[in-house]
Amino acid sequence: MSNPSLLILPGDGIGAEVMEEVKKIITWFGDKRGLNFDVSEDLVGGAAYDAHGTPLHDDTMAKAQEVDAVLLGAVGGPKYDVLDFSVKPERGLLRLRKEMDLFANLRPAQCFDALADFSSLKKDIVAGLDIMIVRELTSGSYFGEPRGISDLPDGQRVGINTQRYTTDEIRRVARAAFELAKRRNNRVCSMEKANVMESGILWREEVIWVHENEYPEVELSHMYADNGAMQLVRAPKQFDVIVTDNLFGDILSDCAAMLTGSLGMLPSASLGAPMENGRPKAMYEPVHGSAPDITGQGKANPCACILSFAMALRYSFDAGEEATRLETAVEKVLADGVRTADLLPAGDTSPVSTSQMGDAVIAALDASL
Ligand code: IPM
Ligand code: MG
């Protein structure tokens, strides 16, 4: 049987640097655990624009459709701010999400004990935090039609985006959330603005439908998304799984990310329907961006990208134990006090570099054998 295939798209900024460390980890799993992958690499975002004049070449899109999983670094950077909207780096990422139909975006926000002091919130509010945000990723205001900027007869301009959700779009992401909850603490909180938006009313009704008909054993609650944002910083441990739409999910997941101490720690998985081989269509990427301010300086924290590969092991390759091995290795390295610059208290001048962090994780993996 051939090895499972991985397409690596490092992208822009620190994407390339953090992905170098993930490649070391992939090699380690091949050498030491017999988990071999056929790895190929390509361009996305500004890097693809520089080479091809488009943030995602059709050939790359086709490759992404064929592989078992895509690993993406980050896209964007100030250099590309002047580009036309249609070729901005982010369009490459959104095209991958849309054409692969990756409707369920899993964003775990977990506070590692060793980092509880780094949260902007008090330690007792975040210590032990372990929540999972399931963000709908292929619809809503990111993709709804009509959209665009046009001229009005009176000389003004108008900018339009449309928040639009169908029954099926809501039900399938709700199912993903209930399935995850069953393997966690059995609770789902659905967030929308049913008090002001019809799309929010439908969202709530369809989530309730899925709950009553398919997952009555899971505990379901509802919150308006603004209250959800407040509750996330007031008492985040009240949540287990949060399910929400594309735009609210974008905002709420950044909010949840800061609870954990550093955006440099947070992985994500974007999953679609099962392919013929039973694996879901999948792309894994850190939640952080391309961080142009620290690019090329060896300062980036590779943990979010490494933990994204752990999610790939769990959700694409049925290797949950190996995923846990990798997550435990990262946790051990942090507990040992190894820190990239983003994880150091102000005034502390002894960070390790991106590659030293990767090496420390490899050492911890070796020690796990
Ligand atoms: C994210 C990012 C993206 C989004 C950008 C880069 C298009 O913020 O993954 O959260 O808005 O979805
Ligand atoms: Mg975002």
Side-chain angles (χ1 to χ4, degrees):
M1 241 173 65
S2 60
N3 297 325
S5 52
L6 281 176
L7 174 61
I8 294 188
L9 302 173
D12 306 322
I14 60 168
E17 297 160 53
V18 296
M19 203 57 92
E20 278 313 307
E21 303 314 305
V22 176
K23 288 188 216 166
K24 290 184 196 168
I25 306 278
I26 293 172
T27 304
W28 187 91
F29 275 96
D31 291 349
K32 304 287 171 68
R33 305 300 300 155
L35 274 172
N36 292 292
F37 297 95
D38 289 338
V39 180
S40 55
E41 194 166 326
D42 212 329
L43 303 172
V44 68
Y49 179 82
D50 289 339
H52 306 300
T54 163
L56 187 71
H57 195 281
D58 288 345
D59 293 349
T60 315
M61 186 67 243
K63 259 191 245 172
Q65 294 284 20
E66 274 161 28
V67 292
D68 291 309
V70 176
L71 298 182
L72 187 135
V75 296
K79 179 180 163 193
Y80 306 106
D81 284 349
V82 295
L83 293 183
D84 185 72
F85 182 75
S86 64
V87 288
K88 279 205 196 300
E90 290 78 7
R91 303 314 301 168
L93 175 60
L94 293 174
R95 181 175 174 201
L96 283 162
R97 290 175 178 173
K98 185 70 179 174
E99 291 192 21
M100 292 171 77
D101 202 16
L102 305 172
F103 61 86
N105 181 216
L106 280 46
R107 298 191 163 187
Q110 224 179 335
C111 186
F112 289 91
D113 285 346
L115 299 182
D117 284 324
F118 286 88
S119 172
S120 41
L121 298 190
K122 294 191 194 80
K123 189 170 179 169
D124 60 310
I125 293 183
V126 294
L129 178 77
D130 179 6
I131 61 185
M132 175 71 87
I133 297 191
V134 181
R135 167 189 176 191
E136 200 291 325
L137 202 60
T138 53
S139 185
S141 54
Y142 273 56
F143 296 99
E145 301 279 347
R147 66 184 299 169
I149 300 176
S150 52
D151 294 321
L152 292 173
D154 68 356
Q156 297 191 71
R157 294 192 305 153
V158 62
I160 297 174
N161 290 93
T162 302
Q163 167 78 331
R164 179 181 192 277
Y165 272 104
T166 64
T167 301
D168 283 353
E169 286 170 342
I170 300 167
R171 288 186 185 180
R172 66 182 185 169
V173 74
R175 286 187 187 103
F178 285 121
E179 283 295 332
L180 282 163
K182 284 206 317 194
R183 284 183 267 143
R184 296 169 46 96
N185 292 314
N186 213 39
R187 288 182 292 123
V188 171
C189 181
S190 169
M191 295 187 186
E192 26 57 13
K193 286 282 289 178
N195 50 345
V196 287
M197 299 167 79
E198 286 81 356
S199 60
I201 295 175
L202 186 77
W203 181 281
R204 188 176 289 213
E205 288 175 359
E206 295 301 342
V207 171
I208 289 173
W209 187 93
V210 174
H211 179 243
E212 284 177 352
N213 289 283
E214 300 175 18
Y215 298 92
E217 72 282 16
V218 178
E219 195 184 306
L220 173 65
S221 60
H222 307 272
M223 241 181 227
Y224 297 137
D226 54 344
N227 182 30
M230 182 178 78
Q231 295 299 332
L232 268 175
V233 290
R234 192 187 73 86
K237 284 190 253 179
Q238 70 185 284
F239 298 112
D240 178 21
V241 175
I242 292 172
V243 64
T244 189
D245 77 19
N246 204 343
L247 183 58
F248 293 142
D250 180 46
I251 296 164
L252 292 169
S253 64
D254 264 29
C255 181
M258 264 333 281
L259 303 175
T260 69
S262 171
L263 213 46
M265 292 302 303
L266 288 188
S268 82
S270 304
L271 306 177
M275 299 184 283
E276 249 170 46
N277 61 12
R279 296 191 173 109
K281 280 258 184 218
M283 179 162 75
Y284 299 87
E285 56 180 307
V287 170
H288 64 68
S290 58
D293 52 321
I294 58 162
T295 297
Q297 302 170 35
K299 286 185 182 168
N301 181 355
C303 288
C305 205
I306 290 172
L307 292 170
S308 298
F309 177 64
M311 291 187 88
L313 291 172
R314 177 170 294 117
Y315 293 106
S316 282
F317 303 115
D318 215 11
E321 275 177 32
E322 299 303 330
T324 304
R325 178 191 299 280
L326 180 51
E327 288 158 354
T328 308
V330 170
E331 205 171 343
K332 162 135 198 322
V333 165
L334 295 173
D336 288 348
V338 182
R339 298 276 190 275
T340 41
D342 56 310
L343 303 176
L344 278 180
D348 192 322
T349 53
S350 54
V352 300
S353 68
T354 308
S355 69
Q356 285 170 325
M357 181 56 109
D359 292 342
V361 175
I362 298 269
L365 283 171
D366 279 333
S368 77
L369 295 177

